[in-house]
Amino acid sequence: IDEDCDGQDWILSSTDDEYLFNIQINPNPATDQLTIESPIPIKSLKAYTIEGSQIAIDNLANEPIVISHWRPGLYYIRVELSNGKSVSKKVIKE
């Protein structure tokens, strides 16, 4: 369901694997950096503003993502897993 009509929410059916809900982004809200944890290896990460503009992310070997240069507000992190499934999580930058 696209809760805020921005086109960035992804629909998960009841048949999706439970591990999609176990992806954790911490801390949230955040000021300087984010750490993403997943039970399945992460293939790629993408970040979007609330307006839908993509933001470049440097993430090598599951290191924390530096967000200190982002403006305060709401963002979406799209996590694509090595098995081809993906999920979007909301993040607040303070």
Side-chain angles (χ1 to χ4, degrees):
I1 299 172
D2 194 318
E3 295 172 347
D4 52 12
C5 301
D6 69 347
Q8 296 299 318
D9 293 291
W10 286 267
I11 298 172
L12 296 175
S13 71
S14 61
T15 59
D16 283 312
D17 297 320
E18 183 178 321
Y19 61 80
L20 288 177
F21 300 101
N22 291 330
I23 295 171
Q24 306 238 347
I25 299 179
N26 293 305
N28 193 8
T31 55
D32 297 322
Q33 63 185 15
L34 297 170
T35 302
I36 300 177
E37 298 174 11
S38 171
I40 302 295
I42 296 171
K43 181 179 178 183
S44 69
L45 296 171
K46 294 181 181 176
Y48 298 91
T49 64
I50 191 73
E51 293 85 16
S53 300
Q54 188 172 346
I55 301 172
I57 294 181
D58 294 326
N59 185 3
L60 304 172
N62 295 325
E63 295 178 4
I65 300 167
V66 177
I67 64 166
S68 56
H69 59 285
W70 293 8
R71 292 183 182 198
L74 179 64
Y75 293 85
Y76 292 93
I77 304 290
R78 183 172 183 185
V79 181
E80 184 179 351
L81 303 175
S82 61
N83 64 1
K85 297 203 177 202
S86 62
V87 67
S88 177
K89 298 278 191 170
K90 292 179 184 178
V91 172
I92 298 172
K93 163 58 164 93
E94 292 185 327

